[in-house]
Amino acid sequence: MTKFIFVTGGVVSSLGKGIAAASLGALLEARGYRVSMLKMDPYINVDPGTMSPLQHGEVFVTDDGAETDLDLGHYERFVQRPLSKRNSFSTGQVYETVIRRERRGDYLGGTVQVIPHITDEIKSRIKASAVDADVALVEVGGTVGDIESLPFLEAIRQMGVEIGRDNTLFMHLTLLPYIAVAGEVKTKPTQHSVKELRSIGIQPDVLICRSEIPLADSERRKIALFTNVEEKAVINSLDAKSIYQVPRMLHEQGMDELVVKKLGLTNAKPLDLSDWDQVVEAQTNAKNRVDIAMVGKYVDLTEAYKSLIEALLHAGIHTLTKVKIHYIDSEELEKTGIDKLKTMDAILVPGGFGERGVEGKILAIKYARESLKPYLGICLGMQMAVVEYARHVAGLEAAHSTELNPQTPHPVVALITEWTDEKGAVVERSETSDLGGTMRLGGQNCKVKANTKLASIYGKDLIRERHRHRYEMNEGYVARLEQAGLVFSAHSEDGDLVESIEIPNHPWFVACQFHPEFTSTPRNGHPLFSAFVSAALTAKQKG
């Protein structure tokens, strides 16, 4: 029978529930258990796909095409098990399902209520996410006390009763603020947070207490006394230099052993964290350093580029290089020029939507091409590289994407209205299609052209990468751009859609339509990012 660990948060948001849950998942996986992870988001949106990156942060995409919260990215980076649509849902999805059933008459005229209809749907989805898992970690988004998350909390309370406390564990993450003037760590917010949780019928089994300074034994005893949690189950999560230190930090306080015993898990393997230790060792003892400019428009909230940032750090881990990322607002480049880029070792233009800041990105790409600085373009970063090459090398003046300029005389990037997915089904879309869930989404195979830089990086002719975009390179301009020297180094498996470009007479200029950052992990890295950081290092050494 699957054991369930429910993870809640208190006091304030952004304490790292996702990191804590993923770290515990990594520990249990290292002990030989099959682990599943689930994130429940309390917002009414069906998914975060239509939400502003500046408000919500990154939208992470699973291999089967779900647009999810960025915590799914943490889960996949810590636990070596690919996740799917079943591993994330929102209040909006729950209500959408229940209301659709009501319209069909499934409830036979009964009054549809939060309890039991909404909570039953939540419990059903929780159980569906745990198929084949020994242990399922379920993270409740938001903070205890929020109105929005009450149905989720009620559902997990009911599960604790229905499947038994031997099969469920409640883990609560809180903050212990340090008051510098008083020189004290304060436990009162944690006490009140647990009191709030207990008021709705949930008694936490484990407390994870975030703090700036180590938790004294006297404070641990005080927290245990006031919250009715065993003293050994009050775990201190100190601020760490690297999130990849957290699994060992939790293990050294007995976290995994505590969970194994509480849930009656058997056949636990001896724990081996040597791969995590190697990650931390490589990250903290880098031998080199490179400065990389990330030119985008969401730089005021770097969480919008979370997987990309982690992928660059992973590349640093695997090349023993400290990667210093400089976030440069592309709109600012339009006003001040490219001087800020001159001290950089490489330039990256990430994905994005909308017209704002696009000309600044094109300026950065033009500078990377002409100055021979290593360049990596991702999604919109590839599309704008095509636009830049068309304008300044192929002589297609005013070339653009129809997303940004529908009247362009040379639509080198355009909306693809019909294409075939991997199952052979024809997918149609138009400019009037709904914005939510209508993009080209999820993992798809790409054929790599032989004797290209991309082929040498991946070392194979068929790769699989995840996508999230609505516009594509216009195949009608491929021949013209090839004549001008641009190399199209990968296509979709059916050969219809451009997946990657490169410039052969440039030291390192690669751009891809897909999002390789979604499959990079600290333990395995990703070949494209490792090659990019290595190219930046080579460029720096050559001066």
Side-chain angles (χ1 to χ4, degrees), residues 124-323:
S124 172
R125 286 172 178 258
I126 291 173
K127 291 171 184 172
S129 75
V131 173
D132 298 331
D134 298 315
V135 183
L137 288 107
V138 180
E139 179 188 348
V140 181
T143 306
V144 168
D146 295 344
I147 292 173
E148 291 87 350
S149 59
L150 282 175
F152 289 143
L153 296 172
E154 170 60 17
I156 65 174
R157 184 199 68 76
Q158 290 177 14
M159 283 191 69
V161 174
E162 290 168 0
I163 64 176
R165 294 293 278 119
D166 291 340
N167 298 311
T168 54
L169 184 146
F170 293 99
M171 187 170 93
H172 190 55
L173 179 69
T174 72
L175 175 68
L176 300 178
Y178 174 69
I179 309 301
V181 175
E184 293 180 19
V185 167
K186 292 296 183 183
T187 64
K188 192 71 75 180
T190 291
Q191 295 174 38
H192 280 282
S193 179
V194 174
K195 181 182 176 184
E196 182 73 22
L197 195 59
R198 292 169 69 184
S199 73
I200 52 179
I202 296 174
Q203 167 62 51
D205 301 292
V206 177
L207 283 180
I208 297 184
C209 303
R210 283 288 307 272
S211 67
E212 293 178 49
I213 63 173
L215 183 64
D217 289 343
S218 59
E219 290 158 345
R220 192 187 303 270
R221 281 195 295 274
K222 183 178 179 182
I223 293 170
L225 185 65
F226 278 92
T227 60
N228 203 28
V229 173
E230 286 184 277
E231 193 174 324
K232 64 181 180 183
V234 178
I235 307 291
N236 188 199
S237 179
L238 276 172
D239 293 353
K241 290 182 179 178
S242 165
I243 58 174
Y244 303 123
Q245 293 174 321
V246 178
R248 176 160 288 286
M249 183 192 299
L250 297 181
H251 166 68
E252 288 179 346
Q253 295 179 71
M255 180 79 184
D256 51 305
E257 189 62 26
L258 188 76
V259 170
V260 166
K261 288 182 177 176
K262 171 69 180 66
L263 292 175
L265 292 164
T266 56
N267 302 319
K269 285 177 21 181
L271 190 70
D272 180 5
L273 291 179
S274 57
D275 50 356
W276 287 108
D277 293 339
Q278 288 170 11
V279 164
V280 174
E281 172 72 16
Q283 193 173 15
T284 54
N285 294 290
K287 296 178 180 177
N288 310 293
R289 166 180 165 143
V290 293
D291 293 89
I292 292 178
M294 186 184 293
V295 181
K297 69 176 184 180
Y298 307 127
V299 294
D300 290 336
L301 181 68
T302 56
E303 293 283 284
Y305 301 116
K306 191 62 184 174
S307 290
L308 203 47
I309 295 166
E310 290 300 314
L312 287 169
L313 297 180
H314 302 161
I317 288 168
H318 288 269
T319 57
L320 295 179
T321 303
K322 178 178 175 56
V323 178

Side-chain angles (χ1 to χ4, degrees), residues 400-408 411-415 431 471:
H400 218 317
S401 163
T402 56
E403 177 187 12
L404 308 169
N405 179 10
Q407 308 306 320
T408 176
V412 293
V413 177
L415 181 71
E431 291 171 349
Y471 286 74

Side-chain angles (χ1 to χ4, degrees), residues 463-481:
I463 61 175
R464 184 175 181 82
E465 293 286 5
R466 300 181 191 178
H467 296 67
R468 182 174 185 257
H469 53 95
R470 186 170 281 109
Y471 286 74
E472 310 269 358
M473 164 73 204
N474 186 343
E475 276 285 322
Y477 282 88
V478 167
R480 179 76 177 268
L481 293 172

Side-chain angles (χ1 to χ4, degrees), residues 329-350:
D329 189 332
S330 55
E331 275 192 300
E332 191 179 328
L333 286 187
E334 294 173 1
K335 301 170 186 170
T336 62
I338 49 80
D339 285 352
K340 283 186 175 179
L341 302 177
K342 292 181 178 177
T343 56
M344 298 292 114
D345 300 311
I347 296 169
L348 186 153
V349 174

